[in-house]
């Protein structure tokens, strides 16, 4: 019919059953229309998203492992630089527990600062990609923000035991003699 709408297409960002439920609700609301999903696109989008999620999980695990190695190496360098200070503290009666607390506290603080900076940079990058590539806005979820910071602190704490063992192994007699 001339001048009448015979076909309308909508893009709805949902997957699988959710998308079918919307189409069913539209059909039930108005018997004059026939809403249907374009199955090939919906199924292909679901498959691509599943593969991307798997890839991101693998990349995340690799990055976390490399980050833990980097933090551990940095903390070992800090212990090496502060070897004289550690030896002097031990000679003056510092316990292994106080030295452990000091380095673990530094690890927690570094993890917190890195988590906050990383979460901020990640959110900024996600907003940039989302708006420029997908033309959609995103919101910041506090649970994800807190989880990111907690994960960063956990990685830093898990990276601290090797440097702490090295700090506890410092012999004050050798340090005070200058060896």
């Amino acid at each position: 019919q001339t001048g009448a709408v015979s076909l309308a297409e909508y893009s709805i960002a949902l997957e699988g059953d959710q998308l079918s439920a919307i189409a069913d609700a539209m059909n039930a609301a108005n018997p004059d229309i026939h809403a249907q999903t374009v199955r090939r696109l919906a199924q292909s989008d679901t498959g691509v998203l599943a593969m991307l999620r798997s890839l991101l999980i693998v990349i995340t695990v690799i990055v976390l492992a490399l980050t833990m190695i980097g933090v551990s190496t940095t903390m070992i360098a800090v212990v090496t630089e502060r070897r004289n200070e550690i030896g002097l503290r031990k000679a003056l009666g510092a316990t292994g527990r106080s030295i452990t607390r000091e380095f673990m506290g530094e690890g927690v603080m570094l993890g917190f600062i890195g988590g906050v900076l990383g979460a901020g940079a990640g959110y900024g990058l996600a907003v940039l990609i989302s708006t420029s590539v997908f033309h959609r806005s995103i919101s910041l979820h506090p649970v994800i923000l807190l989880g990111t910071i907690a994960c960063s602190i956990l990685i830093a704490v898990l990276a601290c035991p090797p440097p702490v063992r090295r700090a506890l192994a410092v012999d004050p007699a050798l340090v005070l003699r200058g060896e």
Side-chain angles (χ1 to χ4, degrees):
Q1 295 177 358
T2 306
V5 176
S6 62
L7 175 68
E9 294 182 8
Y10 289 94
S11 174
I12 301 174
L14 293 174
E15 297 177 19
D17 293 336
Q18 293 174 329
L19 190 58
S20 296
I22 295 288
D24 293 342
M26 290 171 69
N27 287 332
N30 189 344
D32 294 334
I33 64 170
H34 177 66
Q36 64 184 28
T37 61
V38 180
R39 296 240 184 250
R40 281 182 279 155
L41 291 177
Q43 289 173 350
S44 120
D45 283 352
T46 303
V48 168
L49 287 175
M51 284 191 298
L52 283 175
R53 283 186 187 117
S54 299
L55 179 63
L56 285 175
I57 288 171
V58 169
I59 290 172
T60 301
V61 168
I62 291 169
V63 167
L64 288 176
L66 292 173
T67 301
M68 196 158 57
I69 291 168
V71 169
S72 184
T73 303
T74 302
M75 291 297 286
I76 286 173
V78 167
V79 168
T80 303
E81 286 177 10
R82 292 174 30 193
R83 188 171 177 266
N84 292 339
E85 174 191 331
I86 295 166
L88 182 60
R89 284 187 60 206
K90 285 176 104 176
L92 292 174
T95 63
R97 178 179 231 144
S98 70
I99 292 171
T100 300
R101 254 189 266 145
E102 176 186 349
F103 283 102
M104 291 301 253
E106 284 183 33
V108 168
M109 285 305 299
L110 288 174
F112 177 76
I113 292 168
V116 169
L117 293 175
Y123 178 69
L125 185 61
V127 166
L128 179 70
I129 291 172
S130 179
T131 55
S132 64
V133 175
F134 300 109
H135 307 291
R136 296 185 187 265
S137 63
I138 61 172
S139 61
L140 179 65
H141 295 287
V143 174
I144 294 175
L145 177 67
L146 292 175
T148 301
I149 294 170
C151 184
S152 177
I153 292 170
L154 178 68
I155 292 297
V157 167
L158 290 175
C160 282
V164 167
R165 278 194 298 275
R166 188 171 278 204
L168 293 175
V170 170
D171 185 6
L174 293 177
V175 170
L176 293 175
R177 279 190 282 175
E179 295 179 11

